[in-house]
Amino acid sequence: MLPEGLTTPVTARIKNKRAASPAEAVADVKDGSVVMVGGFGRGGVPEILIDALCDKGVKGLTIISNNTGTHETGIARFLKQGCVKKMICSFPFATESNVFRDLYNAGKVDLEVVPQGSLAERIRAGGAGLGGFLTPTGVGTELAQGKQILTVNGREYVLELPLRADVAIIRARQVDPRGNLTYRMAGRNFNPVMCTAADKVIVEAIEEVELGSLDPEVIITPGLYVTRYVVAGKYSSRV
Amino acid sequence: MLPEGLTTPVTARIKNKRAASPAEAVADVKDGSVVMVGGFGRGGVPEILIDALCDKGVKGLTIISNNTGTHETGIARFLKQGCVKKMICSFPFATESNVFRDLYNAGKVDLEVVPQGSLAERIRAGGAGLGGFLTPTGVGTELAQGKQILTVNGREYVLELPLRADVAIIRARQVDPRGNLTYRMAGRNFNPVMCTAADKVIVEAIEEVELGSLDPEVIITPGLYVTRYVVAGKYSSRV
Amino acid sequence: MNVAALAKVLLTSEQLAKRVALELEDGWLVNVGIGMPTQCLPFVPADRDVQFHSENGIIGMARPPKDLKHADNDLLSAGKGPVTLLQGGSFVHHADSFAISRGGRLDAAILGAYQVAVNGDLANWRLPKARTGSVGGAMDIAVGAKRTFAMMTHVTKDGESKIVNKVSYPMTAQRSVTKIFTDMAVVAVMPEGLVLEEYVEGLTPADVQAATEPKLIIPKTVKPIRF
Amino acid sequence: MNVAALAKVLLTSEQLAKRVALELEDGWLVNVGIGMPTQCLPFVPADRDVQFHSENGIIGMARPPKDLKHADNDLLSAGKGPVTLLQGGSFVHHADSFAISRGGRLDAAILGAYQVAVNGDLANWRLPKARTGSVGGAMDIAVGAKRTFAMMTHVTKDGESKIVNKVSYPMTAQRSVTKIFTDMAVVAVMPEGLVLEEYVEGLTPADVQAATEPKLIIPKTVKPIRF
C-alpha cells in the first residue's frame, strides 16, 4: 500500500461496472463480432462467459485465442454450437482439440495460424495504437507468405499487423469496482494484453474486492480497460 | 503467495548477484558505452549508481534517459563531470536542467530528441527482439525527418527502430537474490523496460529480501534480466 | 478596446482552468500536460468521477498531498510537482503508459499550445527560433487521445492570433485538436471550420473574431463563458 | 545391423532426456518445448541452478506437484501438464513472455524436430501432407534463443535420416539449431559443417554416418555418449 498521506479518497460516485449476471454481461455482443478469448490450454479461460455467450446463441464469430478448446470445454463449446466462422490462433490441433479438428476437416470453420509470439505481439500492438511491428519470427516460412518483408540493419523481418477485437472476454483473479484486475499464476497468459485491444472488455473474476483494497503496485490490468465484470465465484467453482 | 504444494524449493546454489559496493557494481562499465538510465524527473533515478560511475571517471557515454538531470543531481552529475558525448531523451530542457542547457548551448554535447512514447517503445522493441515498429506519433513533424514512413490501411506511420544499450542502471524498491524486482509508485517509469534492453543490467534497490519472500504475482522485473545489484539503503537514504 | 481594458475582461489562468475542468465528463480518463493544464485538477465538479492519467505511469493522479511533508519523489506529476494517488489508482511502466494514450483510451487530453490551426493541427513543443525543444509526451498524447483540448492565451504577447489558418511553428500533431479554450473564447474545431461556442463577458463575438486570424463560424447558440 | 539389434543400442527417450539435461549449464535459463523436451527437467544435475521458462509466462517452471491433488489449471506447462514454480520464480503475460525469447534471454531452447539441415534450418511444426499445423511458440523460440537444441530420433519410422542437406518439411526457423541430440548421436552444427561429437555405444561413427544424409565431420575427439 502507499505511504501515509499519498492517497486521495474517491468522493464522486463511480460507475457500477458489475453486471447482474453472465447473461447480462454478454447481452450486447453482436453476431459477427471479433472476440478475443483469454486463456492458454485450460489456464485462465473465461469459461463462464463462454457459456453465457453460447447460451445467448451468438453466430458468425471470429475468435482470437491461442487454442481451440479442450474436449467439450472452453472454445470447443463455441465451436460445437456453431458460433464460430473463423479461428485466429497459434495451436489449433492439440490432442484434446477434437471438436475443432472435426469441424476444420469438414470445411466448416476458417483458420489463420499465427506464431504464438507474433499473436501476442499483434494483440499488444492493437492495444498500443501501433500500425505494426517487425519481427524475425517466421522469416523464410510459409507463415510469412503474403506479408511484407523489410530489411533493417541487414537483417530480414516480417511486418506483422495489429489485431483488435470488438469484444474481449477475460478471466481474472481479483476485481475491484473500478475494474482493476489481478491474475492467478499462469492464468495470466493472454488476458492482460487482450484487455488492451478490444473495444469492449468483459471480465469474469474469481473474487470481488473493495475499492482501495488492492495494493496499487500489484494491479496488472488498470480498470480503465474494463467495461464490465461478473464475479465467477457465484456461478462456478471451476478454477 | 502460491497455493499449497505448488512451490519447488531451490536446491542448487544460486549465483550471487549482489555486488560488494556501488564501485564494484559499475567496475566493468567501459568508456564509450551506451547507458540507459532509469527515472523520470526525480522519481526512480539510480542516484547511487550514477555517483559510482562518476567517481569511476567513465568517459564518452551515450546516455538514454527521459530527462537530463535536476540541477546538479541525477544525469546532471554525469554531464557536469564531462562523461557524456550524447543524450537520447524526450525532455532535455526542463527548467531545472541548467547543466545540460549550458553544455548543449556551448556545443559540448550531442542531442537526439525522441517523443516520449516512442522512446519507451523503442526501448521495449530493443528488449523484445523486434526490428522496429510503426507509430502514428510524429507523422508530419520534424522528429520524423529521415525516418521511413509506411502506409498501412490508409494511415501513415513512422517506422521507429529499436534502442539497446551496453548497460542499464536501474532504481528498484525490492530485490531478491535472483534479482527479481519491484518498484516504488511512479518510480517505476522507464526502469522495467530498460531492464529488458541492455546487455548488462545493474540495479540499486532500496531493500533486499530473501529468496521466496516476494509473491511471484507482484514481481515486475523477473531476475533473469538483472546482472547484479547493490542495496541502496546501506549507502543513502535518498528515496 | 485598449490593452488595459482588455486585460480586465480576459479570463485569468485560474478561471480558464475552471472552464476547462467543466468540460470533463463523468467517467472520463484525462491526461493533463505540463503547466496550465495541471491547474484544472482541483476544479473538476465534486459529483463527477474523472480520473487523471500522467504520462509517467500514474493512473488516478490526484491533488498534491495536503501535508507537503508527505511529498515523495516517486509520486510526481509530469511537470514534476508532488501529487497523490486517487483511491483505486495504479501504476504502469512507461511503455504501458503510452500504450494507454496511443491506444485511444484517453477520453481527453488537455495540452498547452503555441498555435492551433483551422484543421486542428497543433504546435506546442518548440519555438521556431530554438534549435530544438523538449517534446516530452505531447506528440504521443495528442495523436492518441479521443479529444485533444488546447488551453492557451488567445493571442501572443505581441498580440498575434494563436489560432491560425496554418501553423507556422513546428508541428506537434496533425489534425488533433478538437476544442480550443483561451482566455477569450471556446472554439470547437469542426469539419466545417472553427465554431465559436463561447466568448468572455465584456467582449462581443465580433471582438473575438477581430483577435482571431481564421474566419470563425458564429452560430446563434453562441453564449458567454460560464464556469 | 538389423532392426532388432539396432533397437537394443539406441537411446530410450529417457536416456536421451538425461543426455540433453547434462548439456544445460549452471545459471542458464532454458525453454523446453512440448513433448520429449519436457522430459529433461528432472534430469538436470542437482548441483546446477537451471531455470526453465515456459512460453505461457512461467519463469522457473519446475517438476509436477508431488501430490497431484494440488495440480492446478492455472499452473500448466506449454504441453498442458501440471507443474510447480521454483522458489523465486514469477509470472509474466504472453507478450512479455515472448519478449524474453525473441529478446535473446534464453540461454537455450530444447525443441522437438522433424528435420534439421546442415546449416541449422529447423522443421518441426507441421507435416508436409497436412493442410496446416500447430506452430505454437516454436518459431519465436527457435529464432530467439542463444542456442537451439533439437531433440529427436535419428531417423524416421521409414528409416530416413532426419538430419538432412536441406529441409523438405515446412520451415520453422532458418539457421537456428546449434546442436542435435538423437537416440544415436550428438551432432554440433558448425560453420564448417556437422560435427559428430558423440555416438551411442554399440554403434561406430561409421554406423552413425550411414544413418545420416549429410557428410559428418568426425574429429579425433569423438566419444561415446555418457549420461
Side-chain angles (χ1 to χ4, degrees):
Chain A
M1 291 301 180
L2 294 194
E4 191 193 341
L6 294 182
T7 304
T8 293
V10 171
T11 49
R13 224 179 115 194
I14 74 172
K15 195 187 157 198
N16 184 7
K17 292 187 176 180
R18 180 169 170 165
S21 66
E24 189 191 288
V26 302
D28 60 358
V29 178
K30 294 186 181 66
D31 288 354
S33 294
V34 178
V35 181
M36 289 179 179
V37 182
F40 178 94
R42 302 186 304 282
V45 179
E47 298 277 0
I48 290 158
L49 294 172
I50 290 172
D51 285 356
L53 270 175
C54 285
D55 292 348
K56 179 177 147 74
V58 70
K59 299 279 173 218
L61 302 182
T62 296
I63 301 278
I64 302 172
S65 195
N66 192 65
N67 303 92
T68 59
T70 302
H71 301 302
E72 310 272 305
T73 67
I75 289 164
R77 223 194 130 200
F78 278 137
L79 289 160
K80 195 153 189 189
Q81 297 232 347
C83 307
V84 183
K85 186 178 64 179
K86 182 181 179 183
M87 284 291 321
I88 301 177
C89 66
S90 93
F91 209 86
F93 302 109
T95 317
E96 64 273 17
S97 300
N98 45 297
V99 173
F100 177 77
R101 193 179 299 105
D102 293 347
L103 283 172
Y104 180 74
N105 289 337
K108 290 185 176 161
V109 61
D110 291 336
L111 171 64
E112 178 182 346
V113 176
V114 182
Q116 195 172 148
S118 297
L119 181 64
E121 195 66 20
R122 288 178 65 187
I123 296 166
R124 183 186 175 279
L130 302 175
F133 59 91
L134 304 183
T135 179
T137 301
V139 170
T141 77
E142 68 187 51
L143 295 186
Q145 277 169 19
K147 295 175 181 173
Q148 205 175 332
I149 304 293
L150 276 87
T151 301
V152 177
N153 296 330
R155 189 174 181 187
E156 284 187 328
Y157 295 94
V158 181
L159 173 61
E160 290 279 5
L161 302 185
L163 280 172
R164 282 195 63 91
D166 300 305
V167 181
I169 56 175
I170 297 299
R171 171 86 171 176
R173 180 183 180 185
Q174 295 166 299
V175 65
D176 72 13
R178 276 280 183 227
N180 290 309
L181 305 180
T182 66
Y183 298 91
R184 192 166 176 277
M185 302 188 285
R188 188 181 300 194
N189 56 65
F190 280 89
N191 284 297
V193 280
M194 287 180 173
C195 281
T196 69
D199 295 340
K200 202 173 291 171
V201 175
I202 309 174
V203 173
E204 62 175 69
I206 296 170
E207 184 192 357
E208 187 182 28
V209 300
E210 281 181 20
L211 189 70
S213 67
L214 290 176
D215 182 345
E217 308 278 10
V218 311
I219 291 166
I220 302 295
T221 294
L224 66 100
Y225 287 113
V226 173
T227 310
R228 68 182 79 100
Y229 64 86
V230 292
V231 182
K234 291 236 168 146
Y235 308 99
S236 166
S237 58
R238 275 180 291 181
V239 166
Chain B
M1 290 303 180
L2 294 195
E4 190 194 343
L6 294 182
T7 304
T8 292
V10 172
T11 49
R13 223 179 116 193
I14 74 172
K15 194 187 159 197
N16 184 7
K17 291 187 176 181
R18 180 168 171 167
S21 67
E24 188 190 288
V26 301
D28 60 358
V29 177
K30 293 187 181 64
D31 288 353
S33 292
V34 178
V35 181
M36 289 180 179
V37 182
F40 178 93
R42 302 187 303 282
V45 179
E47 298 278 359
I48 289 158
L49 294 172
I50 290 172
D51 285 355
L53 269 175
C54 286
D55 292 347
K56 181 178 146 72
V58 71
K59 300 277 171 221
L61 301 183
T62 295
I63 300 279
I64 302 172
S65 195
N66 191 64
N67 303 91
T68 58
T70 302
H71 302 301
E72 310 272 304
T73 66
I75 289 164
R77 227 199 126 196
F78 277 138
L79 289 159
K80 195 152 191 192
Q81 297 231 347
C83 306
V84 183
K85 187 178 65 180
K86 182 181 180 183
M87 284 291 320
I88 301 177
C89 66
S90 93
F91 210 85
F93 302 109
T95 316
E96 64 274 16
S97 299
N98 45 298
V99 172
F100 177 77
R101 193 179 299 104
D102 293 347
L103 283 172
Y104 181 73
N105 289 337
K108 290 186 176 158
V109 61
D110 292 334
L111 172 64
E112 178 181 346
V113 176
V114 182
Q116 194 172 148
S118 297
L119 182 64
E121 195 67 19
R122 288 178 66 188
I123 296 166
R124 184 186 175 279
L130 301 175
F133 59 91
L134 303 183
T135 178
T137 302
V139 169
T141 77
E142 67 187 51
L143 296 187
Q145 277 168 19
K147 296 175 180 173
Q148 205 174 334
I149 304 293
L150 276 86
T151 301
V152 176
N153 296 327
R155 189 173 182 188
E156 283 186 329
Y157 295 94
V158 181
L159 173 61
E160 290 279 5
L161 301 185
L163 280 172
R164 283 194 61 92
D166 300 305
V167 181
I169 56 176
I170 297 299
R171 172 84 171 178
R173 180 183 180 184
Q174 294 166 301
V175 65
D176 73 12
R178 275 280 183 227
N180 290 309
L181 305 180
T182 67
Y183 298 92
R184 192 166 175 277
M185 301 189 285
R188 190 181 298 194
N189 58 63
F190 280 90
N191 283 298
V193 279
M194 287 179 172
C195 281
T196 68
D199 294 340
K200 202 174 291 172
V201 176
I202 309 173
V203 174
E204 62 175 67
I206 296 170
E207 185 192 356
E208 187 182 30
V209 300
E210 280 182 20
L211 188 71
S213 66
L214 290 176
D215 182 346
E217 307 279 9
V218 310
I219 291 165
I220 302 296
T221 294
L224 67 98
Y225 287 114
V226 173
T227 311
R228 68 181 80 101
Y229 64 87
V230 292
V231 183
K234 291 236 168 148
Y235 308 99
S236 165
S237 59
R238 275 180 291 182
V239 167
Chain C
M1 195 178 290
N2 67 39
V3 174
L6 187 63
K8 272 187 201 159
V9 302
L10 293 183
L11 298 188
T12 63
S13 65
E14 190 176 297
Q15 288 170 322
L16 177 54
K18 281 186 187 171
R19 175 61 191 88
V20 177
L22 274 185
E23 196 75 10
L24 307 180
E25 295 184 15
D26 189 45
W28 277 13
L29 179 71
V30 179
N31 180 285
V32 282
I34 295 178
M36 257 205 297
T38 309
Q39 293 185 44
C40 300
L41 259 76
F43 298 121
V44 176
D47 61 343
R48 293 192 200 167
D49 173 39
V50 175
Q51 290 180 86
F52 290 95
H53 167 261
S54 186
E55 63 190 18
N56 51 322
I58 310 174
I59 296 143
M61 180 174 70
R63 56 156 179 74
K66 282 187 173 153
D67 184 343
L68 279 175
K69 79 165 193 268
H70 292 132
D72 195 300
N73 279 342
D74 287 335
L75 194 53
L76 303 177
S77 69
K80 322 298 190 291
V83 294
T84 56
L85 190 74
L86 192 67
Q87 193 179 31
S90 58
F91 303 106
V92 294
H93 65 54
H94 247 84
D96 282 350
S97 181
F98 280 90
I100 290 170
S101 63
R102 265 193 327 262
R105 298 288 174 166
L106 297 173
D107 295 291
I110 311 171
L111 299 175
Y114 294 137
Q115 290 184 328
V116 179
V118 179
N119 66 352
D121 283 358
L122 170 68
N124 81 342
W125 77 282
R126 81 164 174 87
L127 296 168
K129 348 174 205 198
R131 277 161 65 203
T132 184
S134 290
V135 69
M139 288 186 179
D140 312 270
I141 291 165
V143 96
K146 288 181 196 161
R147 303 165 186 85
T148 299
F149 298 155
M151 185 179 177
M152 62 183 189
T153 58
H154 204 92
V155 299
T156 65
K157 281 175 189 160
D158 300 333
E160 281 175 26
S161 176
K162 292 167 80 167
I163 303 176
V164 294
N165 287 315
K166 191 171 183 316
V167 299
S168 58
Y169 281 44
M171 181 80 75
T172 299
Q174 297 174 323
R175 292 174 298 284
S176 57
V177 175
T178 54
K179 212 169 234 193
I180 308 165
F181 297 83
T182 76
D183 48 1
M184 209 178 269
V186 177
V187 178
V189 180
M190 304 294 282
E192 62 272 26
L194 297 176
V195 178
L196 181 66
E197 293 190 341
E198 301 173 28
Y199 56 92
V200 72
E201 281 190 281
L203 294 186
T204 63
D207 291 331
V208 176
Q209 176 66 78
T212 309
E213 180 186 293
K215 176 89 184 119
L216 297 172
I217 299 166
I218 303 178
K220 284 184 187 155
T221 53
V222 69
K223 60 189 179 188
I225 298 181
R226 300 276 178 227
F227 46 84
Chain D
M1 197 179 290
N2 68 39
V3 174
L6 187 62
K8 272 187 200 160
V9 302
L10 293 183
L11 298 188
T12 63
S13 64
E14 189 176 298
Q15 289 170 322
L16 177 54
K18 281 186 186 171
R19 175 60 191 88
V20 177
L22 273 185
E23 196 75 9
L24 308 180
E25 294 184 13
D26 189 45
W28 277 13
L29 179 71
V30 179
N31 180 286
V32 281
I34 295 178
M36 256 205 299
T38 309
Q39 292 184 46
C40 300
L41 258 77
F43 298 121
V44 176
D47 60 344
R48 295 193 200 167
D49 174 39
V50 175
Q51 290 180 86
F52 290 95
H53 166 262
S54 186
E55 63 191 17
N56 51 323
I58 311 173
I59 296 143
M61 179 174 71
R63 55 155 178 74
K66 282 186 174 154
D67 184 341
L68 278 176
K69 80 164 193 270
H70 292 132
D72 195 299
N73 279 341
D74 287 335
L75 194 52
L76 303 178
S77 68
K80 321 298 190 291
V83 294
T84 57
L85 189 75
L86 192 67
Q87 193 180 30
S90 58
F91 303 106
V92 294
H93 64 54
H94 248 84
D96 282 350
S97 181
F98 280 90
I100 291 170
S101 63
R102 265 193 327 262
R105 298 289 174 165
L106 297 173
D107 295 291
I110 311 171
L111 299 174
Y114 294 137
Q115 289 185 328
V116 179
V118 178
N119 66 353
D121 283 358
L122 170 68
N124 81 342
W125 78 279
R126 82 164 174 86
L127 297 168
K129 353 176 200 193
R131 277 161 64 203
T132 183
S134 291
V135 67
M139 287 185 180
D140 311 270
I141 291 164
V143 96
K146 288 181 196 161
R147 303 166 187 85
T148 298
F149 298 155
M151 185 178 177
M152 61 184 189
T153 58
H154 203 93
V155 299
T156 66
K157 282 175 187 159
D158 300 333
E160 282 173 26
S161 177
K162 292 168 78 167
I163 302 176
V164 293
N165 287 314
K166 191 172 182 316
V167 298
S168 59
Y169 281 44
M171 181 81 73
T172 299
Q174 298 174 321
R175 291 172 300 283
S176 57
V177 175
T178 53
K179 211 169 237 194
I180 308 164
F181 298 83
T182 76
D183 49 0
M184 210 179 268
V186 177
V187 178
V189 180
M190 305 295 280
E192 64 271 26
L194 297 174
V195 177
L196 181 67
E197 293 190 342
E198 301 173 27
Y199 55 91
V200 72
E201 281 189 281
L203 295 186
T204 63
D207 291 330
V208 175
Q209 176 65 79
T212 309
E213 180 186 293
K215 175 89 183 119
L216 298 172
I217 298 166
I218 303 177
K220 282 185 187 156
T221 53
V222 68
K223 60 188 179 188
I225 297 181
R226 299 274 177 227
F227 47 85

